[in-house]
Amino acid sequence: MNFFGEFEEGALPPRRWDPATNAVTSLPYPGYNIFCAGHSYLADGQLLVTGGHIESHVGLPDASLFNAFTSSWTRLPDMNDGRWYPTNTTLANGDVMVISGEDNGSGDINELPQRYLAGSRTWRDMTTARLKLPYYPRMFLAPDGRLFFAGPWRASRWMTTSGTGAWSTGPSSNFGTRSYGPAVILDGRVFLVGGGDPPTATVETIDLNVSSPAWRYVASMTTARRQHNAVILPDGRVLVLGGTRGSGFDNSSYPVRHAEVYDPATNRWTRLASNAAYRGYHSTALLLPDGRVLSAGGRKVRTAEVYSPPYLFKGARPVVSSAPGTVAPGTTFTLSTPDAASITRVSLIALGSVTHAFDQHQRLVTLGFTRGTGSLTITAPPNNNVAPPGYYQLFLVNGTGVPSVGRMVRITTP
C-alpha cells in the first residue's frame, strides 16, 4: 500500500506500508512535489500521477508513472499546463482522461482536458471539450463509454471521449453543491455521500445503466459529514469513515469518529466502531486484500489505523484455492474453492486511489456465477466500459456475508 505526499506538503519521499508485517519503508522520490496531484491505475498496474504542487492553488504540469513492481518512477512528457487537484479517469482502452486542476491561482482552472495515450505515452488535447469544472471533479466511466461528471456541483455533465471530445448536459442532483463529499460507483450506479458546507447527511444515487438516468435520494447517513471517505466493501456495501459535522473547511472541533456502512440492498445505514483519531482533510481510506480497511492521515496527522468490519467476526472465511491471473471481458472463467456450495456473491473491486475525499479509481462489479463441485464458473464483465482494464481484487462472499481474502485479477482488453 503506497502513500503519496501530504507531510511538508509533498516534500518527503513516499513510503510503503506492508499490512502483513506492519513494516514501513521509504520509496524513491519522484523528483518533484506530488502533493495534490491526480492519480489512477493503468492496465499494466502502473500508477499515473498527474500534476502537483508549487504552492496552494498553483499546480505543476508534470506527469509520472509509478511502478509498484519495481518501486521506480518514470517521467512522462509534461501536460499542457499546471494542474493542482486534477482528476484521472481510466478509460475502456486503458488510456486516462485528466480533467481540471488549478493552474496559477484560486479559481484559475485548467479548462482543457487531456487524454493520456498509454500506448505511446503521449498526450492528446481534447480541444473541443474545454470546460471550467471544479477541481477534483467526481468523474466516472459510464457503461455506455462516456464519462460522467457527478459532482461536487449540482449540475452533472456527460463527456464523449472520442476524437477531441465533447460535453453535453446531464441531470441535476437534488441537494446542491457537495464539496468534499465522496462519490462511489457500484455496478453502474453512482452514489453521492454527504459533503457541502454546512455538511449534509443526505445521500443521492443515479443509475447510469438506464436510458434516462435521474438522481434520487436514498437513506441519509446517521450524521452529517464533510471531508470523509467512502470505501466499497466485498459484500457490496459502502463503508464511510471520518469527516467533520461542523461548518467550514476542515472543522476538527466537530469530528465524526464513528464509521457507518450503507447497504444498497436494504437502503439502510448502520453505525459502527469509531476511529481513534480525527480523519479529515488529506485523510485516506483503502480496502485491504484481507477485507480490512486502512484509515490513515489527515492534515498534519501521521498516524494510521486498521478497521475490521463486522463480517470478519461471523465465522470461517471462504477459501479461493486457485484463480486465473488474467480475465478477458465477455468470457467465463473457473475458480476453484472448497466452499462453492456456500457462495452467494462474487465481487470484483478495482484498486483504490483516494485523495481529498474522492477515490479516482475504485469501482464495484458484481459477477454472475454458477456453482460446481469444488468450483465456480464465473461470468466476466461484459466489456471494458463496465470494468476498465487493470488490476482488481476478486472476493467470494458466503451466505453469512463473510468474504474470502481478495485474489488479484487483471482485467484485459479484448
Side-chain angles (χ1 to χ4, degrees):
M1 200 66 60
N2 300 317
F3 300 91
F4 294 94
E6 209 275 297
F7 305 113
E8 304 298 329
E9 293 195 325
L12 298 178
R15 307 191 79 191
R16 172 180 285 152
W17 172 65
D18 186 341
T21 64
N22 202 32
V24 178
T25 55
S26 290
L27 294 170
Y29 185 63
Y32 61 97
N33 194 324
I34 57 172
F35 178 74
C36 296
H39 32 76
S40 68
Y41 289 95
L42 303 180
D44 62 2
Q46 294 193 82
L47 185 74
L48 173 65
V49 180
T50 57
H53 179 81
I54 297 175
E55 59 184 72
S56 292
H57 306 285
V58 180
L60 289 168
D62 302 61
S64 295
L65 296 176
F66 178 73
N67 188 324
F69 302 103
T70 61
S71 297
S72 60
W73 291 91
T74 301
R75 287 295 294 268
L76 297 171
D78 283 354
M79 296 179 291
N80 67 320
D81 218 332
R83 296 187 188 272
W84 192 80
Y85 284 38
T87 291
N88 291 4
T89 309
T90 303
L91 306 179
N93 74 334
D95 291 350
V96 176
M97 194 68 71
V98 182
I99 294 176
S100 190
E102 288 180 321
D103 180 15
N104 194 31
S106 180
D108 181 25
I109 295 292
N110 187 333
E111 300 179 16
L112 179 60
Q114 288 183 281
R115 181 170 181 155
Y116 173 70
L117 307 178
S120 61
R121 295 188 174 180
T122 58
W123 296 99
R124 177 193 297 166
D125 289 343
M126 308 300 285
T127 53
T128 53
R130 286 182 175 271
L131 186 65
K132 187 172 184 177
L133 291 173
Y135 46 43
Y136 280 143
R138 278 46 175 159
M139 303 295 305
F140 297 95
L141 180 65
D144 66 3
R146 294 181 293 172
L147 292 186
F148 183 67
F149 164 65
W153 288 350
R154 184 179 181 189
S156 68
R157 299 282 190 276
W158 296 97
M159 182 185 182
T160 301
T161 62
S162 59
T164 53
W167 291 96
S168 58
T169 301
S172 292
S173 58
N174 296 292
F175 173 77
T177 299
R178 292 179 177 270
S179 55
Y180 291 98
V184 297
I185 186 166
L186 314 175
D187 294 320
R189 295 172 296 157
V190 172
F191 292 80
L192 297 175
V193 185
D197 188 12
T200 180
T202 63
V203 181
E204 297 180 60
T205 188
I206 188 170
D207 189 349
L208 304 184
N209 298 292
V210 301
S211 57
S212 299
W215 291 98
R216 63 180 178 87
Y217 280 118
V218 292
S220 293
M221 294 182 289
T222 63
T223 187
R225 295 180 193 248
R226 168 185 171 89
Q227 301 284 8
H228 50 301
N229 288 299
V231 180
I232 300 171
L233 298 179
D235 60 5
R237 299 190 296 172
V238 179
L239 179 72
V240 169
L241 307 97
T244 174
R245 67 180 187 277
S247 297
F249 181 68
D250 183 37
N251 193 338
S252 60
S253 297
Y254 296 91
V256 183
R257 294 183 183 269
H258 72 271
E260 54 189 302
V261 68
Y262 177 67
D263 187 346
T266 61
N267 192 31
R268 292 182 59 187
W269 288 91
T270 302
R271 181 168 173 151
L272 301 171
S274 295
N275 276 110
Y278 170 60
R279 306 291 178 192
Y281 182 56
H282 285 156
S283 64
T284 189
L286 287 169
L287 176 68
L288 301 178
D290 63 8
R292 297 179 300 164
V293 175
L294 172 71
S295 179
R299 194 166 203 174
K300 299 182 180 179
V301 178
R302 294 175 178 259
T303 61
E305 48 194 305
V306 176
Y307 176 67
S308 297
Y311 52 51
L312 294 179
F313 304 94
K314 292 184 176 181
R317 309 184 70 159
V319 173
V320 178
S321 302
S322 65
T326 60
V327 171
T331 65
T332 59
F333 62 97
T334 300
L335 180 149
S336 298
T337 172
D339 304 296
S342 68
I343 300 304
T344 58
R345 181 184 186 91
V346 179
S347 294
L348 198 64
I349 301 178
L351 303 185
S353 185
V354 61
T355 188
H356 293 77
F358 177 53
D359 194 314
Q360 300 180 17
H361 199 77
Q362 74 169 343
R363 65 168 50 212
L364 169 72
V365 183
T366 304
L367 303 181
F369 65 95
T370 56
R371 300 181 186 89
T373 302
S375 67
L376 301 175
T377 299
I378 301 172
T379 302
N383 55 59
N384 288 122
N385 293 332
V386 173
Y391 283 89
Y392 293 71
Q393 295 185 74
L394 187 148
F395 294 91
L396 305 183
V397 183
N398 66 21
T400 55
V402 181
S404 66
V405 172
R407 276 297 185 106
M408 203 68 73
V409 172
R410 183 169 62 87
I411 299 297
T412 64
T413 52

